Amino acid sequence: MPAAEATLMAATQRPVRDVALSEEATHAAWHDIPSWFLIPLADKNIPAAVADLILDAAKSA
């Protein structure tokens, strides 16, 4: 990943708050807030093919 892109992602990442895990969602924020999905090729828990399926499912939502 280019350093400029990594810097942008680090600067725009929002912190997770406790309400994010317990409050009911009323609007899909990804419609309005830019988001990224990284597919880690060396992840030993989630294979890249599964991560790719997750990404495809998110695009169809």
Side-chain angles (χ1 to χ4, degrees), residues 5-61:
E5 187 175 353
T7 300
L8 173 66
M9 292 173 72
T12 58
Q13 178 67 45
R14 294 169 183 243
V16 175
R17 295 209 31 231
D18 58 337
V19 294
L21 304 174
S22 60
E23 187 175 338
E24 184 177 334
T26 58
H27 175 71
W30 58 265
H31 286 289
D32 307 315
I33 300 172
S35 60
W36 296 270
F37 189 94
L38 299 176
I39 298 179
L41 301 178
D43 192 320
K44 304 231 186 267
N45 294 308
I46 302 174
V50 174
D52 196 41
L53 289 173
I54 295 169
L55 176 60
D56 287 342
K59 288 180 185 175
S60 66

